[in-house]
Amino acid sequence: MKRVIDEMNKEELYAFFKTDLFNKIHEMIEEKKLSLENAILVLKHIGHCKVLKHIWNNHFKESSLDKRFEKMIIEEEKKKEEKNEKLLIDLCECYLLLNRWASEELLSTGVSCLLKVALNKEENEEAQKEVEIVLLALSGFGYGEVEQELFINEIKEVIQYHQKHHNLTRLACQSSWQFLINGLPYYKSFEGVIVDELHFLREAERELEELMKSVNRKREKEAEKEEKETKKELVLLRWLNTLERYFLYCTMWNEEFVGLLNSIVRVFLAAKDNNREVSLQCIHLLKEIADNRVVKIEDLLKGGAVDVVLEEFQRPTLNDEITSGFLECFDIISSGLYKTEDEKEEEEKVKEEERKEMKMKMFEKMEEEGYEDIITSLNKLLDFLSYEYYYYSFSSDIADYFVNV
């Protein structure tokens, strides 16, 4: 079954991970046709694939196996003596990998239990794999129901030890950061820890540069177009998703923005001809960054984001989600240069001379990339793309704004 699951694509996995599958496994355990130990091995692998490939559904929650595991976790946790710690860990791993709708009690039990495993500093392959599984399980659930601030010291220790000793796998490293960043909407104090103490942006830049190698290649044979995603490509997508979540809640400017932006642009350029999913995720991320007013337009210029946006306007095929995504990104950037009456008080912090200089830099960049062609393309394409990708609402005066800059 492990080999079969590994060979499935995302659509096949959606069809496979149904309530009937989990009910059947539960039935086999009940009838002694499958041992609990072997069932746990199978379910761990299912959960691993489910989280890694972003297969989010509620089918496990609807199964009889979910109820069985809930009962077993609660009973094992309540034991004062002869508690089977390994069984409890296995059950919590399976449960959090497969179920994002756990109760507050089970989340607290699972997080506390699995963080103890994550703190294992052994460097043998078996220990690393177990740590990878528990961190992957922890990375997948939402926060409102559990007091995650109780666990920040443990996850900090995991990350800091890895920064010094490099004991985690790439997936485990990414999952540990995601677990921490998932707490940003609820605990604003986390950002200081993430940025100042743990240097998240620098770490993310280094990981993107390394993982970029997995997509920085051309397909040599036509058959390779159907090649399954490699684990590195999946980890890269997870990093891009984690960064998008970070910039959604980011409130602190940092000088490391430019280096990270440059890496995101480089990932897009490496992936745009052979990995559409990575390319689109880069665009979503750049839009999120451009829309975050903490990030300066100067950062977008220095990081190469403006260059790649303008370059994509001149693609030979414009009826495309990539182009429409960059049009929205361009709209966000241009609106950031325009000072409305409501924003005057806030914008007093920025010297008017600096603003004018930034406008001129943008104008010069437009001239370099073919200003007239871009404006003509915008005028012709905005109506069509707004209809084709109906969620866009572009400013009607984009072209006039740049003409009169």
Side-chain angles (χ1 to χ4, degrees):
M1 182 177 282
K2 181 179 183 297
R3 181 180 58 80
V4 172
I5 292 171
D6 287 340
E7 291 177 355
M8 288 183 177
N9 59 33
K10 188 175 287 190
E11 290 72 24
E12 291 169 333
L13 289 171
Y14 266 113
F16 183 66
F17 295 156
K18 297 290 189 181
T19 305
D20 288 346
L21 169 68
F22 301 116
N23 285 339
K24 183 64 177 177
I25 293 173
H26 180 252
E27 182 184 321
M28 292 173 70
I29 296 171
E30 287 284 288
E31 295 175 355
K32 311 296 184 185
K33 294 179 180 177
L34 179 66
S35 69
L36 180 61
E37 182 180 0
N38 286 334
I40 284 172
L41 289 175
V42 171
L43 290 165
K44 275 189 187 183
H45 191 70
I46 290 174
H48 181 277
C49 291
K50 190 171 182 284
V51 176
L52 186 58
K53 297 187 179 183
H54 300 279
I55 311 295
W56 298 120
N57 58 43
N58 202 29
H59 297 313
F60 179 78
K61 184 66 177 174
E62 298 164 354
S63 71
S64 54
L65 192 58
D66 171 85
K67 308 299 183 295
R68 182 191 188 103
F69 276 25
E70 279 187 0
K71 184 171 182 290
M72 291 178 71
I73 289 170
I74 292 169
E75 288 177 352
E76 200 63 44
E77 174 62 19
K78 287 181 177 177
K79 287 182 181 178
K80 301 297 182 183
E81 298 178 359
E82 300 181 358
K83 182 183 294 187
N84 188 334
E85 292 287 351
K86 184 180 185 309
L87 176 61
L88 182 59
I89 290 167
D90 285 338
L91 292 170
C92 289
E93 283 176 353
C94 290
Y95 194 79
L96 292 184
L97 282 167
L98 295 167
N99 187 358
R100 296 185 74 197
W101 292 268
S103 67
E104 181 179 349
E105 180 182 5
L106 286 167
L107 273 179
S108 297
T109 299
V111 171
S112 178
C113 177
L114 296 189
L115 273 175
K116 294 175 184 176
V117 181
L119 288 166
N120 184 356
K121 298 179 173 60
E122 295 179 50
E123 296 187 15
N124 61 71
E125 187 176 346
E126 184 179 348
Q128 285 186 324
K129 184 64 179 177
E130 188 65 16
V131 170
E132 178 180 284
I133 287 286
V134 300
L135 287 170
L136 188 66
L138 290 169
S139 73
F141 68 89
Y143 286 81
E145 304 88 358
V146 61
E147 293 290 329
Q148 177 167 5
E149 59 186 349
L150 301 175
F151 310 119
I152 190 170
N153 290 333
E154 286 89 341
I155 200 63
K156 273 175 59 179
E157 184 178 342
V158 170
I159 292 171
Q160 288 173 330
Y161 188 85
H162 172 68
Q163 288 174 335
K164 187 174 181 179
H165 300 281
H166 307 288
N167 63 309
L168 298 178
T169 65
R170 292 200 178 279
L171 176 57
C173 174
Q174 183 279 325
S175 297
S176 64
W177 281 111
Q178 186 166 324
F179 175 72
L180 183 56
I181 286 169
N182 280 349
L184 270 179
Y186 307 98
Y187 306 107
K188 294 299 183 184
S189 61
F190 278 21
E191 189 170 2
V193 174
I194 291 166
V195 175
D196 296 331
E197 289 186 48
L198 300 176
H199 302 285
F200 168 67
L201 300 173
R202 187 176 65 199
E203 294 283 312
E205 179 186 348
R206 184 169 61 245
E207 288 295 308
L208 289 184
E209 290 292 328
E210 181 61 33
L211 290 165
M212 181 168 41
K213 297 172 185 176
S214 67
V215 294
N216 191 15
R217 63 180 186 274
K218 300 286 186 180
R219 302 299 191 194
E220 295 180 357
K221 299 177 182 178
E222 190 67 22
E224 286 184 300
K225 291 182 180 179
E226 300 300 322
E227 182 182 323
K228 298 290 189 297
E229 291 173 301
T230 67
K231 187 172 181 179
K232 280 189 176 182
E233 288 173 323
L234 292 169
V235 176
L236 174 59
L237 281 166
R238 285 174 60 83
W239 266 110
L240 296 173
N241 277 307
T242 299
L243 284 164
E244 189 171 347
R245 185 168 181 81
Y246 171 75
F247 280 102
L248 180 63
Y249 298 104
C250 166
T251 59
M252 295 169 55
W253 181 84
N254 190 280
E255 61 186 8
E256 294 171 353
F257 282 164
V258 173
L260 179 60
L261 271 164
N262 186 256
S263 291
I264 295 165
V265 168
R266 281 160 50 78
V267 169
F268 169 76
L269 293 174
K272 70 175 184 175
D273 292 328
N274 55 50
N275 194 313
R276 186 172 181 81
E277 190 172 2
V278 170
S279 300
L280 289 174
Q281 190 57 48
C282 286
I283 295 167
H284 294 319
L285 175 54
L286 287 172
K287 286 192 294 185
E288 194 65 60
I289 294 173
D291 203 31
N292 187 317
R293 294 309 184 202
V294 173
V295 182
K296 303 173 183 177
I297 292 177
E298 186 175 1
D299 298 331
L300 298 171
L301 278 165
K302 288 180 179 178
V306 174
D307 294 81
V308 78
V309 168
L310 297 178
E311 181 182 335
E312 287 302 306
F313 285 171
Q314 301 175 69
R315 289 162 58 94
T317 303
L318 293 170
N319 178 11
D320 185 81
E321 190 177 353
I322 289 177
T323 303
S324 68
F326 275 124
L327 278 168
E328 187 180 16
C329 195
F330 175 77
D331 189 39
I332 292 169
I333 293 170
S334 66
S335 67
L337 289 168
Y338 180 72
K339 182 168 66 175
T340 65
E341 291 297 321
D342 293 337
E343 294 171 327
K344 279 184 178 178
E345 288 186 15
E346 181 182 348
E347 295 300 333
E348 283 176 1
K349 302 172 189 175
V350 181
K351 295 178 182 177
E352 188 59 29
E353 304 80 51
E354 292 178 1
R355 177 175 289 279
K356 287 180 179 178
E357 183 181 352
M358 187 55 59
K359 287 181 180 180
M360 287 309 302
K361 284 182 181 178
M362 283 290 291
F363 181 79
E364 289 167 6
K365 184 64 68 177
M366 291 279 286
E367 291 259 285
E368 290 172 16
E369 296 294 336
Y371 171 81
E372 292 183 3
D373 290 340
I374 291 170
I375 293 300
T376 301
S377 297
L378 282 173
N379 287 332
K380 289 182 177 180
L381 285 168
L382 286 180
D383 288 342
F384 168 75
L385 288 170
S386 295
Y387 173 78
E388 185 75 9
Y389 303 100
Y390 57 88
Y391 46 86
Y392 293 123
S393 178
F394 292 107
S395 301
S396 60
D397 60 348
I398 292 177
D400 290 339
Y401 174 74
F402 276 100
V403 168
N404 295 302
V405 75

